[in-house]
Amino acid sequence: EDQVTQSPEALRLQEGESSSLNCSYTVSGLRGLFWYRQDPGKGPEFLFTLYSAGEEKEKERLKATLTKKESFLHITAPKPEDSATYLCAANAGGTSYGKLTFGQGTILTVHP
Amino acid sequence: EPEVTQTPSHQVTQMGQEVILRCVPISNHLYFYWYRQILGQKVEFLVSFYNNEISEKSEIFDDQFSVERPDGSNFTLKIRSTKLEDSAMYFCASSPDRVYEKLFFGSGTQLSVL
């Protein structure tokens, strides 16, 4: 069974304090690893897709990396507006392309 | 940026009643999905839909659930006889092609079954 596990469950940072979120996955034939941001009462908002080990993508203060077993979302010098739940999801080979298996998310709080 | 639109934002219904959740995917998209998120739990895949038929469905998507694209713009999820455990946030999503890049999600419909 495909599984995605995120850690920590919650992370509290001071503004400017860099850190990383972890996503471990057990997926048959990974086709894509996705990172989403979710604000309270809203749908997931796309951040990144990673396809192969060693790949990295950046967007503003966020950088996502991928290995054969896990992905990291690095947050550099975060601001209060980065506070949200960050979701990791995987698409496995042999399933329809839109079937994502999600982790439970990391709730990030950035204090001014 | 184009959006996936879902209506209503909140729906309250009595157990055993039928509900229809509505979605307007992004206009040039071809693939459509429903996901749900029970409070405090993971986002879960329900069904994918392409070319007017279901591509894949999860174990959750039993005979009580159905999907339809009644016209060129709407995509609906029907729950025939709601149960208490159907209470969740339901998200519609769409993608222009196979999910090589990203899935666009709507803001969701919060369904409460009493």
Side-chain angles (χ1 to χ4, degrees), chain A residues 4 34 36 38 41-44 46 49 51 95-100 102, chain B residues 33 35 37 42-43 45 48 56 91 98-103 105-107:
Chain A
V4 176
F34 298 77
Y36 282 86
Q38 187 176 28
K42 300 290 186 182
F46 173 80
T49 309
Y51 298 106
T95 68
S96 63
Y97 283 81
K99 182 183 179 183
L100 301 184
F102 279 85
Chain B
Y33 314 90
Y35 282 78
Q37 186 174 29
K42 297 181 179 184
V43 176
F45 170 82
S48 58
E56 186 170 1
F91 293 110
R98 296 175 176 181
V99 188
Y100 284 111
E101 286 299 323
K102 56 185 171 181
L103 215 55
F105 283 84
S107 290

Side-chain angles (χ1 to χ4, degrees), chain B:
Chain B
E1 190 168 348
E3 289 184 339
V4 175
T5 305
Q6 290 187 243
T7 56
S9 56
H10 293 85
Q11 173 98 43
V12 180
T13 190
Q14 295 292 324
M15 190 169 56
Q17 295 296 303
E18 175 183 287
V19 293
I20 297 176
L21 308 183
R22 302 180 191 279
C23 169
V24 178
I26 295 172
S27 61
N28 63 344
H29 284 191
L30 301 176
Y31 293 78
F32 313 109
Y33 314 90
W34 285 99
Y35 282 78
R36 79 173 185 187
Q37 186 174 29
I38 296 170
L39 187 64
Q41 297 187 23
K42 297 181 179 184
V43 176
E44 302 175 287
F45 170 82
L46 292 179
V47 66
S48 58
F49 190 87
Y50 170 70
N51 200 26
N52 278 322
E53 61 183 25
I54 291 173
S55 304
E56 186 170 1
K57 59 184 180 180
S58 71
E59 292 176 356
I60 303 167
F61 195 90
D62 61 21
D63 293 343
Q64 294 298 314
F65 291 86
S66 62
V67 290
E68 191 178 32
R69 188 151 164 84
D71 52 42
S73 58
N74 291 284
F75 181 50
T76 62
L77 174 69
K78 182 193 289 186
I79 309 175
R80 267 181 266 282
S81 178
T82 50
K83 304 171 188 169
L84 295 176
E85 54 265 37
D86 294 328
S87 295
M89 178 74 93
Y90 288 80
F91 293 110
C92 174
S94 69
S95 64
D97 200 339
R98 296 175 176 181
V99 188
Y100 284 111
E101 286 299 323
K102 56 185 171 181
L103 215 55
F104 293 79
F105 283 84
S107 290
T109 293
Q110 179 64 56
L111 176 65
S112 298
V113 182
L114 305 179

Side-chain angles (χ1 to χ4, degrees), chain A residues 78-95:
Chain A
K79 298 182 177 182
E81 53 262 41
D82 294 323
S83 297
T85 297
Y86 289 84
L87 301 173
C88 173
N91 179 233
T95 68

